[in-house]
Amino acid sequence: MTTSLVDDLGAALSPDRVRVGETELALYRRDASNLEGHAGAVCFPTTASEVQACVRVAVRHGRPFVARGAGTGLAGGATPLDDAILIVTTKMNRVLSVDPISRLAWVEPGVLNLDLTRAVTKHGLHFAPDPSSQQSCSIGGNVANNSGGPHCLADGVTTAHVIGLEVVLPDGEIVQLGGEEADAAGYDLRGAFVGSEGMCGIATKVCVRLTQNPPAVRTMLMDFASVEAGAQTVSAIIASGMVPAALEMMDQLCTRAVEEYIHAGLPVDAAAILLVEVAGLPNGVEADVQRIVEIGKAHGAGTVRIAQDEAERALLWKGRKNAFGAIARIKPNYYLHDTVVPRRRLPEVLKQVYEIVERHELLVMNVFHAGDGNLHPLLVFDKREPGVMDRVHAAGEEIVRVSVAAGGVLSGEHGIGLEKRDFMSLMFNAEDLDAQARLRRAFDTTGLANPNKVLPSPASCGDVQHVPEGAWI
Amino acid sequence: MDLTAFAGEVGEAGPVTISGMATRGGPVPGVRAVQPPAGIEWIQADEMTMRCGAGTPVDDVDAALAEYGQCIALPPHGTVGGALSLGHSGIRRLGYGPERDVLLQACYISDRGHVVQAGGPTVKNVSGFDLCRLLVGARGTLGFIGDVILRTRPLPADSQWFTTEVDDPFPTFARLYRPTSVLWSGSRMWVLLEGHPADVAAQAEACSLTPCSGPPELPSGSRRVVAPSAVGSVAGTFIAEVGVGIVHHADPTPDLGPIESSVTNLARRIKAEFDPSGRLNPGVVVA
């Protein structure tokens, strides 16, 4: 760490917002994954020009820089490598304007996802993407990862809800990508930026589309004697022409852990439970509830519990959203995977996941966005057990491989980051990856914006490597 | 879909343009033209996805999907590739979303004649950079789309256009729950409501809307874009998409002056990376 770099950053912001103490650097060595790096300095800008100034200092010193929001990412996207300058946007947390008529808002990147929804609730609106971390994740992070959430089944992921961005490009230039105007002329640079995991610049303002709160919501829980029956119900609901607001599934081990944790009266003897939410206008909602219950029964659903009031609905969702807290009752450590498979392949892929995990003598809990085919196998273990990490590694890689082999994709919502960088060649050939590298080069002429994430180095193309060391929680 | 033959036609050198049904401007005149493959490869109704050649007519796709009770959020007529390459959504954009959200995966031919896959086959996917969105609206300047996987949507149980006379569309707009389309001429509005028949009827009644046979004819002088909140101050003869900000105007587009130069520079760098020799749809500038 050269003094002049710290001095330059201090002059660009103010010395108290540039941190270089080892204790503080240690706090920022990783995101919510356990992929660790080391930051050269941690900066807390409060304006776009301060972000610009940080970026310019980084470029002048030839030092990589990494944008970080709340640090809830699960793929190591915000892990600083090679003493990178970490540019943290948490102090840029103002909702700048809300247009309740056009249902748009301009916000700073550090605004927390749920805080945005809270700020617009009085207008009967919400921000649709709702990752499980929505109480603590930032809009800037949502943009970087193109985040999803249970309610993205009907309403789409972040890119469908971000229409404009102010971005500091890696060369320090400030540009506006997209905006309030729909289908404006020019390339969809906004679309290219969303999900680029901090490798195309740093968003300093975000124009989001807000969604009307539904007049009617019905939430129901169905239980099944087999995981297959639950998965087939999911496919049948979609095939019948309905797109529920959310369609989530939990297997037995997960249900039991959650029930012990929150006492919601969940059916702990069932092999799988489905949480289905339907939202919209009242007649459509009631008709859909009736059809979904019929489809569930036709596929062997045992009991069907329909939330009778908001309190019961909240309790059912609490079970889903706190599943990860509940697992601590089983084993002290977990590793959360994120892959997508075609819905019709869910039963067989889940079966393979159970087989893989059993072969590696691990435990798995499945709690996932079934409607999207978005699997979240949660490997639970005790890392003090000798050799367990190798088994977790191996099982994780096999799960990714069977998902892609079933016609699925590497990640549904967590992103690639460092975690899956070296798996990219399972899905893309050298030409495909080269095209992505071209996009990145057009945005980042310096090569300093969060380098070595997402895209495998050309040398490793076609040669899948293990997830980097330290990838485990 | 095997794109080897199409890639061979595009080749590795020399100016080349792509041609569909010429409903959205057609190929670049005087340049060797290629046509992408046509035909529906598969429809997976339970996945709400389908795969087809870029040369497939949008109307054929809609007809095939209707048998499964589904449709596609692309504006009618012309080819799928043409609709995506122009990137202009139809008048149902308010409810169905922009065209770019329809495209899940595209296999395109690069300037070097290679087949490149962008995106992936599932509705939910954040594996790598989003090249699909870059291709929508790129007018064939970054690569020629050969085949696509698209997201379909269920056909609504009921779908009805309504109309009413209003000087200000926003009070009615604010009262409607997720209408599919709201159009306004300055003195009259047209509303497309879809969903359960009883909900459609209840919304129409609450807003004093009268059923009508369909949307008005759209003026064809220009298609302008304004901020959604600026729709109320558009002058002249027009039909505006309320809540979206697209204005179909009787007059040609006024000269808006140069756009922000940094975006122009970024757009040039994109073109230079994807087609350094400028051989794809030469002369077409997207900025």
Side-chain angles (χ1 to χ4, degrees):
Chain A
M1 188 79 232
T2 55
T3 314
S4 65
L5 172 57
V6 179
D7 289 347
D8 286 355
L9 288 169
L13 306 178
S14 70
D16 64 314
R17 287 189 281 113
V18 178
R19 303 303 182 111
V20 290
E22 272 310 317
T23 313
E24 281 170 301
L25 295 183
L27 286 174
Y28 287 92
R29 68 192 171 200
R30 60 179 176 93
D31 51 19
S33 73
N34 216 15
L35 289 156
E36 290 187 5
H38 188 269
V42 183
C43 302
F44 296 89
T46 56
T47 63
S49 10
E50 287 189 350
V51 172
Q52 181 185 41
C54 290
V55 167
R56 286 192 163 147
V57 170
V59 172
R60 198 158 63 237
H61 288 265
R63 183 69 65 95
F65 62 91
V66 177
R68 175 183 162 118
T72 57
L74 289 161
T79 293
L81 302 174
D82 303 322
D83 281 339
I85 296 171
L86 203 58
I87 301 175
V88 183
T89 57
T90 49
K91 289 189 189 297
M92 300 171 70
N93 59 359
R94 292 175 301 161
V95 174
L96 300 169
S97 64
V98 177
D99 177 349
I101 307 289
S102 302
R103 301 180 184 123
L104 306 174
W106 280 93
V107 304
E108 291 184 326
V111 170
L112 298 185
N113 176 296
L114 196 58
D115 284 350
L116 171 56
T117 283
R118 286 187 182 128
V120 299
T121 301
K122 59 175 179 279
H123 302 298
L125 301 170
H126 67 283
F127 182 58
D130 62 339
S132 293
S133 56
Q134 70 180 140
Q135 297 189 35
S136 46
C137 66
S138 69
I139 298 296
N142 294 168
V143 168
N145 289 297
N146 195 10
S147 304
H151 288 89
C152 292
L153 174 59
D155 288 331
V157 295
T158 298
T159 190
H161 302 276
V162 166
I163 61 171
L165 296 157
E166 178 191 83
V167 168
V168 176
L169 292 177
D171 64 3
E173 208 164 4
I174 297 183
V175 294
Q176 186 179 317
L177 311 179
E180 296 184 22
E181 294 87 1
D183 292 354
Y187 295 122
D188 183 13
L189 302 169
R190 170 218 63 90
F193 185 88
V194 175
S196 61
E197 304 200 31
M199 296 174 71
C200 290
I202 301 180
T204 47
K205 282 197 192 91
V206 185
C207 184
V208 297
R209 201 164 67 81
L210 301 168
T211 302
Q212 285 175 282
N213 294 343
V217 178
R218 297 280 262 166
T219 306
M220 68 201 103
L221 194 74
M222 292 190 273
D223 62 66
F224 295 89
S226 72
V227 169
E228 288 75 15
Q232 282 157 1
T233 304
V234 170
S235 272
I237 289 170
I238 302 288
S240 75
M242 287 179 284
V243 184
L247 191 37
E248 302 281 306
M249 191 160 152
M250 258 196 264
D251 69 5
Q252 188 174 37
L253 188 59
C254 191
T255 306
R256 287 186 173 170
V258 168
E259 179 57 21
E260 281 178 30
Y261 188 55
I262 66 161
H263 309 292
L266 300 178
V268 292
D269 293 330
I273 61 175
L274 269 189
L275 181 67
V276 190
E277 186 158 279
V278 187
L281 291 162
N283 295 290
V285 166
E286 288 312 318
D288 282 358
V289 167
Q290 217 167 18
R291 285 169 68 203
I292 288 167
V293 171
E294 280 167 19
I295 291 169
K297 293 277 185 199
H299 288 82
T303 55
V304 177
R305 174 174 169 187
I306 300 177
Q308 295 305 306
D309 52 30
E310 185 52 34
E312 192 176 1
R313 172 178 177 253
L315 187 63
L316 295 180
W317 272 110
K318 190 178 169 195
R320 166 63 184 90
K321 293 212 169 186
N322 287 289
F324 300 152
I327 59 110
R329 308 181 71 87
I330 299 180
K331 294 270 183 180
N333 305 101
Y334 69 83
Y335 187 86
L336 176 62
H337 278 274
D338 165 47
T339 65
V340 184
V341 300
R343 270 181 292 263
R344 63 173 65 182
R345 309 289 295 269
L346 272 176
E348 63 182 273
V349 175
L350 280 168
K351 196 161 164 263
Q352 286 175 293
V353 168
Y354 287 121
E355 284 165 6
I356 290 165
V357 170
E358 197 178 335
R359 192 152 25 80
H360 291 282
E361 298 173 6
L362 295 165
L363 283 177
V364 66
M365 307 200 316
N366 280 291
V367 46
F368 63 100
H369 311 310
D372 292 315
N374 189 182
L375 290 173
H376 282 321
L378 192 67
L379 304 180
V380 290
F381 56 94
D382 184 342
K383 68 179 176 190
R384 292 167 300 189
E385 269 176 48
V388 72
M389 297 316 299
D390 292 340
R391 305 205 308 272
V392 172
H393 266 265
E397 179 172 337
E398 284 185 45
I399 289 170
V400 172
R401 283 181 182 277
V402 298
S403 299
V404 175
V409 300
L410 295 170
S411 174
E413 53 188 19
H414 294 176
I416 299 300
L418 276 177
E419 184 202 30
K420 289 184 174 150
R421 181 190 65 191
D422 296 327
F423 290 128
M424 284 285 277
S425 53
L426 287 180
M427 210 177 137
F428 298 109
N429 66 26
E431 286 297 331
D432 307 337
L433 291 170
D434 176 66
Q436 296 191 31
R438 284 166 191 268
L439 170 66
R440 202 271 171 137
R441 275 204 302 271
F443 272 89
D444 182 7
T445 52
T446 70
L448 293 172
N450 206 11
N452 299 313
K453 308 285 173 67
V454 182
L455 299 173
S457 61
S460 67
C461 276
D463 172 26
V464 173
Q465 299 168 351
H466 279 289
V467 173
E469 285 304 321
W472 320 106
I473 293 172
Chain B
M1 194 168 270
D2 184 4
L3 296 178
T4 317
F6 180 50
E9 283 172 42
V10 174
E12 296 168 26
V16 60
T17 184
I18 188 163
S19 166
M21 294 164 78
T23 47
R24 293 179 171 87
V28 176
V31 175
R32 182 174 68 86
V34 293
Q35 287 205 305
I40 295 171
E41 193 170 342
W42 46 254
I43 292 173
Q44 294 180 351
D46 56 348
E47 301 293 335
M48 287 200 304
T49 55
M50 66 160 300
R51 185 169 196 163
C52 69
T56 313
V58 175
D59 296 347
D60 288 3
V61 170
D62 265 327
L65 285 172
E67 290 183 27
Y68 298 88
Q70 296 186 352
C71 63
I72 197 91
L74 293 178
H77 313 319
T79 63
V80 167
L84 291 169
S85 295
L86 190 65
H88 285 179
S89 45
I91 55 170
R92 289 168 171 78
R93 179 186 166 121
L94 180 66
Y96 291 2
E99 269 196 0
R100 59 186 185 237
D101 292 349
V102 170
L103 182 62
L104 302 177
Q105 176 182 299
C107 289
Y108 68 91
I109 312 304
S110 72
D111 67 309
R112 293 172 296 170
H114 293 135
V115 179
V116 178
Q117 177 196 323
T122 58
V123 171
K124 208 169 184 186
N125 174 26
V126 294
S127 312
F129 296 133
D130 197 344
L131 288 179
C132 278
R133 281 183 171 72
L134 196 62
L135 290 172
V136 176
R139 300 173 63 200
T141 59
L142 305 180
F144 289 171
I145 302 174
D147 81 4
V148 292
I149 297 180
L150 304 174
R151 180 182 194 171
T152 67
R153 45 180 303 124
L155 283 169
D158 188 22
S159 180
Q160 175 66 51
W161 280 94
F162 297 88
T163 187
T164 188
E165 274 184 42
V166 280
D167 291 335
D168 179 358
F170 288 106
T172 305
F173 178 70
R175 295 182 65 188
L176 292 165
Y177 178 74
R178 299 205 193 188
T180 302
S181 183
V182 177
L183 306 175
W184 181 62
S185 68
S187 58
R188 174 169 288 280
M189 73 191 286
W190 293 262
V191 177
L192 177 60
L193 298 177
E194 297 188 323
H196 192 282
D199 291 328
V200 169
Q203 286 224 78
E205 194 185 340
C207 295
S208 307
L209 302 173
T210 313
C212 66
S213 58
E217 197 174 327
L218 302 177
S220 57
S222 58
R223 182 182 190 270
R224 304 176 185 178
V225 292
V226 299
S229 57
V231 158
S233 46
V234 176
T237 303
F238 66 90
I239 298 288
E241 297 180 29
V242 179
V244 176
I246 291 169
V247 180
H248 306 270
H249 209 282
D251 300 334
T253 309
D255 185 3
L256 298 169
I259 63 162
E260 200 181 350
S261 66
S262 55
V263 176
T264 311
N265 287 338
L266 178 54
R268 282 196 192 116
R269 290 203 297 269
I270 299 255
K271 173 69 176 174
E273 284 287 351
F274 282 83
D275 180 22
S277 71
R279 64 181 294 254
L280 304 175
N281 275 356
V284 175
V285 177
V286 181

